[in-house]
């Protein structure tokens, strides 16, 4: 008697980023699990149970949701952004792999959402317009040396880089260390985009050259995009400048 | 008398991937520009003009749309997936930078969408669950040596890689060359995911080890995801296997 588990991407902040598929999945769930602030974004429905948990309890949340689904319920886990990008989908897969056989029988639907880098890119132009990568700066789950190697490899071969989880109270120095590392590889003029709470009422965006990039411009709610040497800024009188990475690259620099 | 230009991401295939913001932007446009098959996905509205153009005419399409917007119209360009990922947003920025001053005065809104790699990842589990990158295999706009350097850098430092534009009639050998290159760096067991027409009626997904990856499994409508050495497959009796990349990495291999 196996039920159903949907892992739903809410996109960043505002409900205007919700897809039709995500709305339908939210409406069809009997039980919603999620980090409290994400659950708060979902309108209440009569008869729908809600179970909020802390940000760091991803595996426990996945297990609790799978338990209810395996018992026959229609369960949903809500995730900010896209569930497959540094969010709940991988935690659910990990829990299924490590868990009882009954969890493998649960019908699983991952519902994609607009991840933060797409929303921030859209807000400023097209900084992800050519090859790009996404790196989580958190070293809770991987050694810092891996982050360093990936930053070096990506910057030195011309990728634009989106930095997720750039900074937190428990990880205060990593973003500064990343900027220092990038300054050794990239021109000082490369545009750095700090996007905080994109798509929410308190949204703020700041664009500075790498030379002036300061970790103090970021907090837990910030996504940082590091331009490539080809990334350009187009000034517009009376409007915000556009930042974009051209589709063409001229030579293997 | 400057109008408004929206560059709208339709997401992959089905309308269930449309966001509320994209629906509103489509409804508010007087003129829609786009590649024919993308325009065909948008329901007709009375009084709305439509101008279809070929896939390769991105800069011409951007210019024509900017021209109409600068003359005061509410114009939209529709884009498959997300407009900022190998799509129309960068072309519009390029056109604005190179064009007349009047184009810089056009109010521009980029409306993000679900890009193909997010839809395919959701379909199979969470293959983008740790650091990942997106590379266009097209060498129309960049030298092939740049693609090679980026493939080497990304694979050798443990990124998952999403390959956009993997193959076409005019570019028949690049995907095979990429697989050969990746075989020199990655274990033969690394999962390769071929997703064709994800989210459409004729969707097909194939998962094979790198050892067996064949360019013949892909066409113009295919996105290819290359796992990292950490990417795992979870078998599920009676259900499709899950492919995921765990959030944790144990050592800088």
């Amino acid at each position: 008697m196996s039920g159903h588990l949907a892992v739903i991407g809410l996109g960043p902040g505002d409900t205007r980023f919700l897809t039709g598929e995500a709305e339908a999945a939210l409406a069809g769930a009997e039980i919603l699990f999620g980090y409290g602030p994400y659950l708060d974004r979902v309108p209440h429905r009569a008869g729908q149970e809600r179970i909020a948990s802390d940000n760091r309890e991803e595996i426990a949340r996945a297990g609790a949701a799978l338990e209810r689904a395996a018992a026959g319920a229609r369960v949903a886990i809500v995730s900010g952004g896209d569930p497959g990008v540094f969010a709940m989908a991988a935690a659910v897969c990990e829990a299924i792999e490590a868990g009882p056989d009954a969890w493998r029988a649960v019908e699983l639907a991952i519902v994609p959402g607009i991840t933060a880098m797409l929303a921030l890119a859209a807000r400023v132009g097209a900084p992800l317009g050519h090859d790009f990568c996404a790196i989580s700066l958190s070293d809770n789950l991987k050694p810092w040396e891996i982050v360093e190697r990936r930053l070096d490899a990506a910057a030195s071969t011309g990728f634009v880089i989106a930095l997720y989880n750039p900074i937190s109270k428990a990880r205060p120095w990593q973003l500064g260390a990343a900027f220092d590392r990038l300054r050794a590889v990239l021109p000082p003029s490369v545009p750095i985009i700090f996007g905080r709470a994109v798509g929410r009422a308190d949204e703020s965006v700041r664009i500075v050259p790498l030379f002036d990039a300061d970790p103090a411009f970021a907090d837990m709610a910030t996504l940082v995009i590091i331009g490539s040497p080809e990334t350009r800024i187009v000034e517009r009188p009376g409007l915000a400048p556009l930042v974009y990475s051209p589709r063409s690259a001229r030579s293997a620099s």
Side-chain angles (χ1 to χ4, degrees), chain A:
Chain A
M1 225 265 312
S2 196
H4 184 276
L5 174 60
V7 187
I8 303 172
L10 299 180
D14 196 89
T15 53
R16 72 178 186 272
F17 294 115
L18 263 192
T19 66
E21 184 182 29
E23 290 204 63
L26 289 170
E30 296 164 333
I31 313 169
L32 294 183
F33 284 83
Y35 174 47
Y38 296 149
L39 276 180
D40 291 345
R41 292 195 207 154
V42 181
H44 279 268
R45 279 183 183 82
Q48 201 173 49
E49 188 183 347
R50 292 173 168 241
I51 301 171
S53 50
D54 187 80
N55 208 359
R56 298 172 184 222
E57 297 171 357
E58 295 185 331
I59 282 289
R61 181 189 308 140
L66 283 160
E67 192 78 41
R68 296 293 295 268
R74 290 191 68 82
V75 180
I77 298 177
V78 298
S79 194
D82 179 85
V85 177
F86 309 119
M88 284 301 299
V92 168
C93 292
E94 286 168 38
I96 290 173
E97 186 173 28
D101 285 351
W103 292 4
R104 294 192 187 218
V106 169
E107 253 188 66
L108 178 67
I110 316 281
V111 180
I114 305 293
T115 182
M117 68 180 165
L118 300 187
L120 177 56
R123 182 68 181 64
V124 301
L128 308 178
H130 65 47
D131 300 336
F132 64 92
C133 65
I135 297 177
S136 169
L137 269 200
S138 170
D139 55 356
N140 292 339
L141 294 167
K142 66 189 167 196
W144 179 249
E145 307 82 70
I146 288 188
V147 177
E148 289 181 333
R149 292 182 61 211
R150 290 180 184 165
L151 287 171
D152 293 351
S156 64
T157 56
F159 284 95
V160 172
I161 304 171
L163 296 179
Y164 282 73
N165 307 314
I167 200 163
S168 73
K169 277 185 191 149
R171 294 180 293 100
W173 58 264
Q174 285 80 347
L175 182 57
F179 287 147
D180 287 344
R181 230 169 154 92
L182 292 167
R183 285 190 190 101
V185 181
L186 293 171
S189 60
V190 159
I192 311 295
I193 306 157
F194 296 82
R196 190 181 177 285
V198 169
R200 303 213 289 273
D202 55 339
E203 164 183 298
S204 68
V205 174
R206 187 197 299 243
I207 302 160
V208 300
L210 176 56
F211 181 83
D212 291 326
D214 185 332
F217 299 161
D219 67 8
M220 264 186 64
T222 305
L223 183 92
V224 181
I225 295 179
I226 314 288
S228 82
E230 314 229 23
T231 303
R232 303 180 60 76
I233 294 185
V234 183
E235 298 294 344
R236 299 185 299 168
L239 293 171
L242 293 174
V243 188
Y244 83 96
S245 302
R247 301 162 305 150
S248 306
R250 263 160 216 94
S251 67
S253 63

